[in-house]
Every structure is written in structure tokens, then in C-alpha cells.
Amino acid sequence: MNYNVVLSQEVRQALESGRPVIALESTIICHGMPYPDNVKTALACKRIAERHGAVAAVCAIIKGELHAGLTEEQIEYLGKKGPEVKKVSRRDIAAALARGEDGATTVAGTMFIAHRAGIRVFATGGIGGVHRGAESSMDISADLNELGRTPVAVVCAGPKSILDIGRTLEYLETQGVPVVSFRTDRVPAFYTPDSGYRAPCRADTVEELAAMVDAMAGLDMQSGMVIVNPIPEKYAPDGDKIEKATAKAVKEAERLRLEGRDITPFLLKRISELTDGESLEANIALVYNNVRLAALIAAKTAENK
Ligand code: PSU
Ligand code: MN
């Protein structure tokens, strides 16, 4: 078995020469968006990262090997298979390797791979969190614990409003994870720039964010950071429509008795259907916005070295 992360040539060269690299996750490709939008979005992310000075490494498991940096063919392969590819969080990695399977890595799974590959900045759409009702279901995403134990900075648009945002923030605090809002005093919540919660920490420049990433590395804190980047106003969908679609999708998920890893992908798909694709469009726009910021941070930290 190969325990090393297989790097694409482009990613290996960039890492060896200290050029900026950012990680991207693959659950969003296989479970977060339909084909072919998923593949188009992933490829566009690579181009956006490049335009802002960084190489983007999509992380995934292919035939039992950890990968950082996929070719277009590999992205197309995963994107076409879509939900057939297992969603892989930290707990699922060993099984996928042992069985030689493919795996679409979540934020937690991707952080694990990125860290092993030496990548410190990661861009995605939304992170997992504490689910509503977690006080009895105990459904708390493994993303939050991974952030507490793996030194990777994750740039996202905040937790979805399907989650319990207050408890997600409390949990991250307990895990010692900084949550830094970019250019806002509020914590954004994915489709909306304001969840109603005050930001625990605010930064207004890329330099400041890069200095925080450097400080955590310099102190060898061995834990991660969440950088929350609000969806730009012009892309934010009608809040009322999204809220209604979300409430309906959550009820349907309950009726279908979905649980565990199936919940998030189901909700994303239903919300997109119920909003005639409006949520998907917003999802793509906020991912691009996060890739841009992550690339700028990675470029700045590379300069600081
Ligand atoms: N939130 C989104 N889109 C996503 C996810 C979360 O808005 O695609 C995915 C990410 O891969 C995240 C995972 O890591 O769902 C969290 O799943 P769970 O709650 O099962 O840990
Ligand atoms: Mn869960």
C-alpha cells in the first residue's frame, strides 16, 4: 500500500520550489454539485487560482491512493461518477486505502491529505458543523475536530443555515480554532453574508490573514483556522426563497429518515431543485470568491518565507 500522497507534476514542482499551492476538496465535486457543472466549476477554480498566483490541488482518493492535484481527466472521472464515489471523511480513509477504492474527500478528509502533502491553505464552499438538534442526535461534522488537530487554513463562506451556527462557533472555540471574518463584523452563513452572529475575529487585508496563517505555523500550533469570506451581495440569492426551500428540504430529509453522511448532499440537491438552480449558481459564485482569496493568502505566505 502506498501511504504517500501522490502529487501531480504541477503540484510537486510548485511545492518543491516554494510556490503557492491551495487545496480543493472533492466531496463538493461528487456530492455537492451535479455533472457537468461540478467538473466545469473545478476546472474554473484551477484557472482562477492560477490567475491569482497559486496552483490549485484537488484532493481525493483514487484507487486506494491519496492524491493532491488531479489532472483534467481525473476530475472528469470523479465528476462523472458523482455520488457513486464514496464520501470520505477522516474515519473512512483507511478503509478506502485498504480496499483500493475511490473516495471524494470532505473538508476533514481533504485537510488530512493537504497537510500530509505540505499544503497550508484550502478553499471550499461551506464547512460542516453542528447540526440543529445535535444535543440529541450528536451529529457534529468531523470537519470541526479536524480543524482542531490539523494545521490547514480553510477559506469558506461559512456554515450553512441548515446548521446550528451558534453551537458551531462554540464548538470551534472549544477546539481552539480561530474563526476570522474577512472584511465584516458578522459571521457569514453561506448563501447569506450575515448569519446574525458577531464575528469572533475580523481581518481586513490579505496581509493580515497571511500573517495569522504564518503565526500559527511559526508557533507550531498543529491546529487549523477558518477564514470566513462572505458571499458578494450581488450573488446572494433571495434569502426568503432559500429559507423556504431549506425548511422544505430539511422536512423531506426527516421524512426519508436520512442520516449521517447522506444528509448534506441531499439537502444541497433539493435546495437547488426547489430554487430552480438559483442556489447552485450562488454556490459556484461563492466558491470562486473563496478560491481567489485563498490563492492570494497562499501567495502572500509564500512571499513571507
Ligand atoms: N457544505 C456545503 N457544501 C458541501 C459540504 C458542506 O455547503 O459540499 C460538504 C463538505 O465536503 C463538508 C461535508 O466537509 O459536506 C460535511 O459533511 P458532514 O456534515 O457529513 O461531515
Ligand atoms: Mn454528520
Side-chain angles (χ1 to χ4, degrees), residues 255-296:
R255 219 174 303 128
L256 291 167
R257 293 183 196 282
L258 292 184
E259 51 183 47
R261 69 172 137 217
D262 297 333
I263 293 179
T264 306
F266 174 83
L267 294 177
L268 292 174
K269 181 162 160 279
R270 281 304 284 150
I271 295 168
S272 172
E273 287 165 358
L274 292 166
T275 60
D276 304 310
E278 221 181 288
S279 70
L280 176 61
E281 237 172 86
N283 199 343
I284 292 171
L286 64 83
V287 169
Y288 292 164
N289 192 44
N290 297 339
V291 167
R292 207 172 300 126
L293 181 58
L296 292 171

Side-chain angles (χ1 to χ4, degrees), residues 12-271:
R12 182 168 38 78
Q13 286 172 348
L15 287 171
E16 279 171 6
S17 56
R19 276 182 285 129
V21 180
I22 63 167
L24 302 175
E25 59 154 308
S26 43
T27 289
I28 193 172
I29 297 176
C30 296
H31 298 269
M33 288 181 192
Y35 180 80
D37 300 87
N38 54 359
V39 172
K40 270 197 252 167
T41 304
L43 297 179
C45 284
K46 281 178 71 163
R47 287 192 296 272
I48 292 169
E50 258 161 48
R51 230 184 294 136
H52 294 83
V55 171
V58 177
C59 297
I61 298 175
I62 298 183
K63 298 189 172 56
E65 286 188 314
L66 305 176
H67 282 259
L70 301 187
T71 60
E72 278 191 29
E73 292 70 36
Q74 288 170 319
I75 292 173
E76 173 72 24
Y77 165 78
L78 288 180
K80 213 168 199 171
K81 279 183 113 183
E84 263 179 58
V85 181
K86 204 182 231 171
K87 175 175 162 186
V88 170
S89 192
R90 170 184 272 264
R91 66 153 188 202
D92 311 297
I93 292 174
L97 260 59
R99 295 175 184 147
E101 287 175 353
D102 296 330
T105 47
T106 62
V107 168
T110 302
M111 286 178 75
F112 180 85
I113 296 175
H115 175 51
R116 283 180 77 82
I119 303 170
R120 297 195 294 155
V121 184
F122 166 13
T124 188
I127 55 167
V130 179
H131 281 259
R132 293 185 192 172
E135 53 283 28
S136 60
S137 70
M138 286 182 76
D139 191 349
I140 298 172
S141 175
D143 292 353
L144 303 185
N145 280 58
E146 198 65 35
L147 281 157
R149 68 194 290 182
T150 301
V152 173
V154 181
V155 181
C156 66
K160 275 232 168 57
S161 62
I162 49 172
L163 300 167
D164 185 328
I165 292 170
R167 286 190 171 91
T168 299
L169 293 171
E170 289 294 345
Y171 198 87
L172 286 169
E173 181 186 353
T174 305
Q175 290 287 319
V177 178
V179 177
V180 188
S181 282
F182 187 56
R183 294 190 180 146
T184 168
D185 289 319
R186 317 300 288 179
V187 174
F190 208 74
Y191 299 122
T192 153
D194 183 1
S195 63
Y197 287 87
R198 185 184 284 282
C201 179
R202 169 183 174 142
D204 286 278
T205 63
V206 169
E207 286 72 18
E208 216 179 327
L209 290 170
M212 289 181 191
V213 171
D214 283 337
M216 289 193 66
L219 296 167
D220 194 22
M221 291 191 83
Q222 301 188 19
S223 52
M225 180 191 302
V226 182
I227 295 164
V228 277
N229 189 26
I231 183 169
E233 271 317 333
K234 65 174 169 189
Y235 297 119
D238 176 3
D240 215 40
K241 200 165 162 189
I242 290 278
E243 267 312 310
K244 280 197 186 118
T246 303
K248 188 152 192 266
V250 169
K251 275 215 189 88
E252 288 179 10
E254 280 165 10
R255 219 174 303 128
L256 291 167
R257 293 183 196 282
L258 292 184
E259 51 183 47
R261 69 172 137 217
D262 297 333
I263 293 179
T264 306
F266 174 83
L267 294 177
L268 292 174
K269 181 162 160 279
R270 281 304 284 150
I271 295 168

